[in-house]
Amino acid sequence: MLTAAGFHVLLALASGSGHGYAVMRFVEEVSGGAVRLGPGTLYRTISRLVADGLVVESEEGDPAAPHDARRRYYRLTPQGEQAARTEAALLARLVTAAREAGLIT
């Protein structure tokens, strides 16, 4: 089972590689501002996902973006994609249960 922050990062990277700031923006946008990953949480989470083999640092980047030597890009590994799929399926089951319990209309 992933932490919420871990799932948010995997979800942000599910459509392709991205850098940390883009991940932070994605999470804030998709959650309607309810979730904000600060830099410390974000980079600790990414480090843990890298150590677990779910994310790798990528050489890919945005060729249209200004070059910044400090900017690191990350992408999902096949294991990371599977972990995200498993977590998404669990969350879908929980949403169904919440709807059946009358918590979501």
Side-chain angles (χ1 to χ4, degrees):
M1 179 133 172
L2 295 168
T3 64
F7 180 67
H8 292 308
V9 171
L10 295 183
L11 181 59
L13 297 174
S15 61
S17 62
H19 55 81
Y21 183 69
V23 170
M24 286 192 315
R25 283 192 330 222
F26 173 88
V27 171
E28 188 172 342
E29 184 178 309
V30 79
S31 71
V35 178
R36 294 183 181 179
L37 295 179
T41 299
L42 174 69
Y43 289 105
R44 275 191 308 276
T45 300
I46 288 173
S47 291
R48 188 171 48 252
L49 293 171
V50 167
D52 291 345
L54 303 179
V55 170
V56 292
E57 195 169 325
S58 173
E59 296 298 321
E60 300 171 32
D62 181 356
H67 179 69
D68 183 348
R70 297 171 298 168
R71 185 170 281 178
R72 298 190 195 294
Y73 285 80
Y74 303 93
R75 66 176 171 78
L76 294 182
T77 64
Q79 296 86 355
E81 183 177 344
Q82 184 56 50
R85 287 179 186 278
T86 299
E87 192 72 12
L90 170 61
L91 293 172
R93 289 191 304 274
L94 293 174
V95 167
T96 298
R99 187 171 285 118
E100 291 170 356
L103 298 174
I104 300 173
T105 56

